Amino acid sequence: MTARPILLAAGGTGGHVFPAEALAAEFASRGRPLVLMTDDRGDRYGGALAEVPVYTVMAGTITGGSPFAKIMGLAKAVGGTFQARKILAQLNPTIAIGFGGYPSLPAMLAARWARIPTLIHEQNAVLGRVNRLLAPRVSAIALSFAATQKLGSADHTKTQIIGNPVRPEFADTPVFVAPTKDGPVRLLVTGGSQGAQVFSRIVPGAVAMLPEALRDRLVITQQCRPEDLSSVGETYRRLGVHADLATFFSTLPDRLGEAHLVVARAGASTVSELAVAGRPAVLVPYPYAVDDHQGANAKIVEDLGAGWMMREEAFTQEALAKTLERLFAAPEDLSAAAAKAKASSQANAVHALADMADRLAIKNGGASAVPGRMVPDGEPAE
């Protein structure tokens, strides 16, 4: 008899997809069959998700935009839910696990309709709109932060704080070593899965304002959008600063491991990867994020002493130059922030999420994530 699969529902930006990728790798290591349900972008995913059978359904945004756009988004969501229900009848998964984002909504609604156990994972410090809609209806909720906002009417007894799963390569980052007095100073600038144009506008100008002696030691790795590569590169060449620029770094964990300081957005995956890697950061929350979830993420990091938040309206060339000069002149502050970042990490989040899903599936008659072995409630698998 063919084993019943675990259904992952994810899509959209990297913040929703990367945790699903990490969980897919964990379940694959346990020998569990998986399927992914998403929208028509599902064939673009890499890593462990590239090995998972993909089922695509219609999905649409049901908030924001014009009234017509909302109606069209709702129609797609309803149509996708009926498509998903038909697919689920064939697959009969043991559990459906959603990671937020509108591409996950049809699958999770259809699973609830089919009375399949449902688990959602929230990556941010504010419950996202799709997860907010699903929270009162699902079997269980996994959170990344204890202080997650907007849980609303969800039953808090079905929530568990497990952290945000990150790709395993980030866990292998070497221990942070602060820059020496006369040695190189390595700055990593990354804008997340979609890049950040503001960094291309602000960081080169800030670097130009640094003392020449500091500039001579500076080594920059910076993610840029394609349209910004030429101008940013020209500025660094004129300043005599060594810089490695790209639109995407496939070896980001290695780059992070080399960094003395990171300038980044405050998306959920970025914040979690920084913590697992134990790296200090200046975080600039995306100002147009729904419910300012990036601001909430960055505030938690700052409150922990693991980094520094700069709102975009205060993120000027002058302000960044002062911050960089101050931090690079105080390696002990960088070391302290790195240690606090590492201490705040939940490196076993992916194992905790897999075990949480396993217990839920067992409780509702599904198969164990470890063949032939059941995982007692509250006890992690080895």
Side-chain angles (χ1 to χ4, degrees):
M1 184 176 69
T2 303
R4 295 166 62 191
I6 295 166
L7 173 72
L8 305 180
T13 62
H16 299 301
V17 174
F18 292 152
E21 181 183 327
L23 186 62
E26 171 64 18
F27 272 132
S29 73
R30 299 184 181 195
R32 292 300 303 276
L34 298 166
V35 294
L36 171 67
M37 191 171 289
T38 184
D39 62 7
D40 58 9
R41 294 170 289 182
D43 59 353
R44 305 176 190 175
Y45 303 139
L49 289 179
E51 307 300 320
V52 175
V54 177
Y55 294 83
T56 60
V57 296
M58 291 186 292
T61 303
I62 57 177
T63 60
S66 66
F68 178 75
K70 291 178 182 178
I71 292 172
M72 291 300 295
L74 180 60
K76 288 182 178 180
V78 171
T81 301
F82 277 94
Q83 288 179 314
R85 180 67 181 87
K86 185 176 180 180
I87 295 169
L88 293 185
Q90 299 170 352
L91 295 174
N92 189 25
T94 59
I95 188 171
I97 308 170
F99 292 86
Y102 288 99
S104 74
L105 182 60
M108 298 306 292
L109 289 177
R112 180 70 178 83
W113 181 10
R115 298 190 178 184
I116 294 166
T118 48
L119 166 63
I120 56 173
H121 177 266
E122 178 55 54
Q123 301 85 46
N124 292 291
V126 180
L127 205 66
R129 291 190 177 182
V130 167
N131 278 349
R132 210 179 305 163
L133 174 66
L134 292 169
R137 299 168 174 83
V138 296
S139 309
I141 304 169
L143 302 176
S144 298
F145 299 100
T148 301
Q149 303 171 30
K150 294 189 179 291
L151 278 171
S153 60
D155 181 358
H156 289 232
T157 64
K158 64 182 181 183
T159 65
Q160 183 176 335
I161 315 301
I162 61 101
N164 188 21
V166 301
R167 291 163 287 176
E169 52 266 35
F170 286 96
D172 298 329
T173 305
V175 174
F176 179 81
V177 177
T180 58
K181 183 177 179 181
D182 299 315
V185 178
R186 302 185 184 278
L187 177 67
L188 172 63
V189 183
T190 176
S193 63
Q194 296 182 325
Q197 196 171 47
V198 66
F199 294 154
S200 295
R201 289 191 289 106
I202 299 299
V203 177
V207 169
M209 296 178 182
L210 295 176
E212 185 176 356
L214 178 54
R215 282 207 311 270
D216 289 344
R217 299 167 54 206
L218 200 58
V219 179
I220 298 176
T221 299
Q222 184 167 343
Q223 179 191 17
C224 300
R225 291 190 176 187
E227 61 269 26
D228 297 325
L229 280 171
S230 178
S231 61
V232 172
E234 178 56 34
T235 298
Y236 290 141
R237 282 189 292 272
R238 178 172 52 81
L239 294 171
V241 173
H242 178 77
D244 185 5
L245 310 179
T247 57
F248 177 77
F249 291 103
S250 59
T251 57
L252 184 60
D254 295 332
R255 307 295 181 127
L256 188 58
E258 297 170 351
H260 294 121
L261 181 66
V262 180
V263 176
R265 288 298 196 191
S269 289
T270 297
V271 167
S272 299
E273 289 161 1
L274 287 166
V276 169
R279 288 302 183 270
V282 173
L283 297 175
V284 186
Y286 180 59
Y288 307 109
V290 174
D291 298 317
D292 190 32
H293 65 261
Q294 289 205 8
N297 295 346
K299 187 176 187 306
I300 287 177
V301 172
E302 186 171 64
D303 289 347
L304 288 169
W308 301 267
M309 177 169 66
M310 296 182 72
R311 289 288 187 178
E312 189 160 318
E313 59 267 25
F315 186 66
T316 64
Q317 294 176 355
E318 294 80 6
L320 180 60
K322 289 179 181 178
T323 298
L324 294 178
E325 186 174 1
R326 172 174 58 82
L327 292 176
F328 289 141
E332 65 279 5
D333 290 348
L334 294 175
S335 293
K340 289 176 180 176
K342 188 69 174 179
S344 73
S345 71
Q346 292 174 289
N348 291 322
V350 69
H351 306 295
L353 182 58
D355 290 340
M356 185 179 179
D358 193 30
R359 288 192 295 270
L360 185 62
I362 294 168
K363 183 178 179 180
N364 289 274
S368 171
V370 182
R373 174 167 175 257
M374 296 185 69
V375 182
D377 189 27
E379 179 180 316
E382 295 177 357

